Amino acid sequence: MAFSGLLIAVGVYSFDIGDAIAILSGFIWALGTHYYRRKLIHEDLIRLNASMAVISALIAAPTLIINPHMKLTLNAIAWGIIVALVAQVMGFLLWFLGVKDLGPVTASSISILVPASAYLFALLILGKVPTEMEVIGSAITLAGVLISQLRV
């Protein structure tokens, strides 16, 4: 249910290669979470986090060369480092802590709230009003996450 709401919110009606890659990456992320829970749960989180950041940088760095919209200025590099530290380092650290403390099902359920949160923060910070489909999809996503967390 939560995933269906997510598809509605992000606009499955205009499905393209970017959407396919996003869904594939979500599936790969789920496999990685399962692997972490089974094989790496007792590893040092800082070392594991650093490894993930380095691997991500190695995969992402070549895209800078082929991106025609990217201009490598000192300002762009500084912002790139800030985003990497906040999104990558803090993101992976919080993710691994969440999987370790909450379990993979709860942590994964919470992570699906990212698009709904993005719409909320875009409204609060930027004043960008979400579309009707974004609101409907976010509501379905929230309901799905809530249902997944109920202990029946």
Side-chain angles (χ1 to χ4, degrees), residues 96-117:
F96 290 133
L97 286 171
V99 172
K100 189 174 195 172
D101 293 343
L102 302 172
V105 172
T106 301
S108 295
S109 296
I110 292 170
S111 74
I112 205 167
L113 295 175
V114 169
S117 301

